[in-house]
Amino acid sequence: MAATRITLSTSPSEELVRAFDAIRAELEVPEDFSSQALAEAEQVAGQGRSVTADLTDVPFFTIDPVGSMDLDQAMHLERDGAGVRVRYAIADVPLWVDPGGAIDAEARRRGQTIYAPDHRTPLHPARLSEDAASLLPGVARPAFVWDLRLSADGQVRLESLDRAMVRSTARLDYEGVQRDLDTGAAAEPILLLREVGLARQAQERARGGASLPMPEQEVHGDPEHGYTLELRPLAPVEDWNAQISLMTGMAAAAVMLEGGVGILRTMPPADPRDVARLRRQCAALGVPWAEEEPYGELLRRLDRRDPRHLAVIHAATSLFRGASYTPFDGVRPERTQHSALAADYAHVTAPLRRLVDRFGLVVCEALVQGREVPGWARAALPELPELMRSSDRRAKAVERACTDAVEAAVLAPHVGQSFTASVVEAGPQGPALVQLVDQPVLAPCRGEAPLGETVQVRLVEASVERRRVTFEAVPSGAVGRPTP
C-alpha cells in the first residue's frame, strides 16, 4: 500500500500557543515536577548509579526521531548461524526511581509522557529522562539487556535477560537509516534489522495478526516559526524497528505467564457483529473481500489513496477496541492475547515514557534470574491498569485537541473556499466525516456526502479557539472559489 506525504503549514501564531495552554489546563495535564522530585532526580543522577555486569564493549545503537533525547532502547544485531542474534538494551529506569519516593509518586500521577506540538510533558524529570537514565551515545548507562535469538524464519528464543552497563556508539534517526537502506549504504547491523523486521512481519501474518493502516496526522514545529500539519506514510524501517520491540514484548509475556505473575497488554477479539458490519460496508462500497479471507489480510491490501478503501479503513476502527492492561499473580488470566498481534504481549520497552514498563521489566528480570519478584513491584500490579487507562485517555485527548487547533489555524484563511475530499464515514444522524485529498485534514461535513465517494466540500468554519473545522457538501453543479 502506498501513500503520499502531505504537509500544510501555519504562520507563527500566538493564538495557537494560547490554545495549547488551554488544552493542557482543560485536560489537567501535570505541569512542573514537585521540588522534592526534582531534588531527588538531581541526587540520584549525581550518585551515578550502576550495575556490575559490563557490556560496554558491544556496539549498541539507537534509532529514534531526529532530536530525541529520552532514548529508551538500543540494539545490537549480529549473524547467528542461519539466524540473527539481537541484543536489545532497555534503559534501567527502576535503578533510578526509588519505590515510594518523590519521582515514583510523580510518575504514577502522570502515567506517561504527554506530547503536544509546543513541548512534551515528561513522565520523569529531564535530569533522568534526557540525561542520566537515557541511552545517549558515548556514555555508559545501566540497562536491561534482552538476548534474543531468531531462526531464519523469524522464530524467537530468549537466551537471557540481564542488568548490565551498555554504551551506545551511534544515535541514528529513521530518515537517515531509510536513506542508507534505499541507497545501498546501510551497514551490516541495519541490513540485519531489515532481515529481522521482514521475518517478523511474515510471522505476524502467519499468526493472523492485523494492523490498521490509518493515515496518521503529525504536528511539527514551534511557536516562533509556525507549525506543520503532516500526513505521511511510515518508513519501512520504522515498522522493522517496531518489530524488535514487539518481539521483546512477546518474550516478556511468555516469561510472565510461565512465572505466574505480571501484567499483560491485552485486546479482545473483534466482535463478530463488527466484522459482519464491515463486510456489508465493503460490499456496499464495491471493495472485494472473500469470505475466507481474514480481516487482517483485507487491511494489508487496502490503498489509502482510494476513497472507497479509505472509508473501509475508518470503518475498521471498530475491530480494534478494548485494549487494556491485565495484571495477574498466581492465577493465569482468562484473556492473555492481544488480538491485533495474535499473540501474548507485554509493555516493557519504553520505561522512560510509560509507567507500566518499569514494573514489567523488574518482574521479568526477577523471574528469568530465578529470584522473588520484589514486593514493591508485585504490590503495584493491580493499581497499574487504572493509572495507565487514565493517562492513555489524557494523552489521546491532548493529541486530538492540539491537532484540531492546528487544522483550524492552517485553514482559517480559506473559509468559503472549496476542497476535494473523500467521504470516510457516513452521517445518518449527524455530519459525515471527510478526509481532504490534498491536505492532511479530517473533519465533519454537513449535507449530502455519500460514503466512499470523492466530493467537493466548502469550508464554513475554522476556529482555533473552539478547535473546530466544519465543511459543507457543495451541491452538484455549484462551485466555490478554487482551492489555494
Side-chain angles (χ1 to χ4, degrees), residues 24 176 239 466 476:
R24 281 186 286 268
D239 196 12
R466 297 179 181 178
S476 178

Side-chain angles (χ1 to χ4, degrees), residues 347-399:
H347 276 156
V348 293
T349 62
L352 286 173
R353 292 168 284 170
R354 192 169 51 210
L355 174 68
V356 67
D357 300 50
R358 169 159 56 101
F359 299 88
L361 283 166
V362 168
V363 168
C364 286
E365 192 266 344
L367 292 174
V368 170
Q369 297 296 331
R371 298 193 308 270
E372 279 292 317
V373 173
W376 62 266
R378 204 165 206 145
L381 296 179
E383 305 169 12
L384 291 172
E386 180 52 38
L387 293 176
M388 293 307 304
R389 187 159 43 244
S390 175
S391 69
D392 281 342
R393 283 196 299 265
R394 180 185 293 123
K396 291 174 182 175
V398 168
E399 180 181 15

Side-chain angles (χ1 to χ4, degrees), residues 29-359:
V29 176
E31 296 182 357
D32 295 336
F33 285 92
S34 68
S35 58
Q36 295 90 339
L38 292 173
E40 187 177 298
E42 193 63 42
Q43 178 185 14
V44 297
Q47 292 171 352
R49 295 181 176 183
S50 62
V51 294
T52 303
D54 189 344
L55 290 174
T56 54
D57 60 331
V58 178
F60 287 93
F61 62 91
T62 61
I63 308 178
D64 291 275
V66 174
S68 296
M69 294 293 290
D70 51 346
L71 309 183
D72 294 283
Q73 310 128 3
M75 70 182 81
H76 177 258
L77 299 89
E78 59 186 334
R79 181 63 64 193
D80 182 38
V84 180
R85 180 186 189 185
V86 177
R87 280 182 279 190
Y88 202 38
I90 307 300
D92 193 341
V93 177
L95 189 67
W96 303 98
V97 180
D98 296 330
I103 299 173
D104 184 27
E106 280 278 6
R108 290 174 188 244
R109 182 167 72 97
R110 292 167 181 250
Q112 62 187 282
T113 297
I114 304 292
Y115 295 90
D118 53 345
H119 71 80
R120 300 178 306 108
T121 304
L123 176 63
H124 303 99
R127 184 70 168 93
L128 296 183
S129 62
E130 298 184 5
D131 186 9
S134 179
L135 302 183
L136 297 167
V139 290
R141 291 287 187 258
F144 291 84
V145 181
W146 298 77
D147 191 343
L148 302 157
R149 311 298 176 94
L150 282 80
S151 61
D153 64 354
Q155 297 285 349
V156 178
R157 181 181 83 253
L158 175 62
E159 191 74 17
S160 63
L161 171 57
D162 299 289
R163 298 173 95 161
M165 301 301 293
V166 302
R167 180 183 288 110
S168 171
T169 60
R171 178 167 57 180
L172 308 179
D173 62 81
Y174 293 122
E175 289 191 7
V177 172
Q178 190 63 55
R179 183 170 57 250
D180 286 348
L181 284 164
D182 294 341
T183 61
E188 176 69 9
I190 300 301
L191 296 176
L192 291 175
L193 174 61
R194 177 172 60 188
E195 179 179 324
V196 170
L198 291 171
R200 293 300 298 172
Q201 285 174 333
Q203 282 286 327
E204 180 178 278
R205 191 168 190 168
R207 291 193 311 269
S211 60
L212 188 63
M214 181 68 76
E216 293 189 6
Q217 289 175 303
E218 296 181 353
V219 177
H220 305 282
D222 58 64
E224 182 178 353
H225 300 95
Y227 293 94
T228 296
L229 185 64
E230 182 174 79
L231 195 66
R232 70 170 185 90
L234 293 179
V237 70
E238 293 180 70
D239 196 12
W240 301 333
N241 189 51
Q243 289 295 332
I244 302 290
S245 180
L246 289 172
M247 76 178 186
T248 304
M250 292 175 197
V255 168
M256 292 174 181
L257 288 168
E258 184 177 347
V261 58
I263 182 164
L264 305 175
R265 183 63 166 163
T266 58
M267 179 185 284
D271 190 313
R273 291 172 297 182
D274 291 328
V275 177
R277 187 180 302 114
L278 185 64
R279 284 195 175 278
R280 291 194 298 270
Q281 199 147 30
C282 283
L285 291 166
V287 178
W289 184 9
E291 188 66 34
E292 67 277 5
E293 183 181 32
Y295 68 80
E297 289 300 306
L298 166 73
L299 296 177
R300 283 186 184 90
R301 61 179 174 80
L302 294 178
D303 186 342
R304 284 180 288 198
R305 296 169 301 179
D306 185 323
R308 298 171 305 148
H309 288 202
L310 195 56
V312 172
I313 291 169
H314 279 267
T317 57
S318 64
L319 307 182
F320 295 84
R321 293 173 175 163
S324 61
Y325 290 92
T326 302
F328 62 101
D329 193 347
V331 178
R332 185 184 178 94
E334 181 178 342
R335 174 175 295 119
T336 65
Q337 277 210 343
H338 190 292
S339 64
L341 299 175
D344 300 327
Y345 176 62
H347 276 156
V348 293
T349 62
L352 286 173
R353 292 168 284 170
R354 192 169 51 210
L355 174 68
V356 67
D357 300 50
R358 169 159 56 101
F359 299 88

